[in-house]
Amino acid sequence: MKAKRRLAQVGLGGRGEWFTHCLVGGEWYAGTPHAHRTPPTYRDTIDVVAVCDANPGRLARLEKQLAANGIKARGYLAKDFDAMIRDCRPDVVLVTTKDAHHDEYLCRGME
C-alpha cells in the first residue's frame, strides 16, 4: 500500500466544509435537519493533518467534527498559515478560501 499523502486545508467556510466532508466522510451536521453520513472514500489515501481558517469559531467547529470522526488535524488561524506549513509539512495544500484569496495561499503553499 502506498503511503498516505499529508493534507492541510485552508478555508473552512461552505466550500471548505463540503470538500472536507467529501474527503473524510463521516457524520456531519449532527443535530440539524441536514445531518447525514457518507462513507469515507479517501481515508486510505490521505491524512488531514491540519486545517486553517480566519474565523476561530469555524475552525473550532471543524476541528471538533474531524475529531468526532477519528481525525486529529491540528487547527491554525489564517495568520498562522506559514507556521502550519512549517510545522505540519503537508504534501498537499487544499485551498478552499474565497476565490480572491486563492493566489495568496497557493503561492505561499508552494514555497
Side-chain angles (χ1 to χ4, degrees):
M1 177 184 228
K2 290 175 74 171
K4 290 184 178 184
R5 309 263 336 219
R6 296 172 54 79
L7 182 139
Q9 180 179 358
V10 58
L12 307 176
R15 178 187 300 170
E17 191 169 14
W18 181 83
F19 269 95
T20 304
H21 180 147
C22 291
L23 289 170
V24 302
E27 186 74 39
W28 293 91
Y29 310 112
T32 75
H34 307 290
H36 58 286
R37 181 170 183 76
T38 54
T41 55
Y42 295 96
R43 285 191 186 184
D44 57 341
T45 59
I46 64 160
D47 272 330
V48 178
V49 296
V51 290
C52 178
D53 197 82
N55 182 315
R58 195 165 41 213
L59 179 62
R61 186 185 76 230
L62 190 67
E63 283 181 287
K64 185 177 177 181
Q65 286 176 313
L66 288 169
N69 285 282
I71 298 167
K72 296 176 182 146
R74 189 166 168 192
Y76 290 84
L77 288 172
K79 68 181 182 65
D80 300 320
F81 176 83
D82 295 320
M84 176 185 75
I85 298 298
R86 185 181 56 250
D87 295 348
C88 296
R89 315 257 323 139
D91 300 308
V92 177
V93 177
L94 176 61
V95 179
T96 53
T97 60
K98 292 180 181 178
D99 293 346
H101 299 287
H102 282 183
D103 60 336
E104 171 188 352
Y105 291 109
L106 290 170
C107 292
R108 287 166 61 195
M110 288 188 289
E111 292 175 353

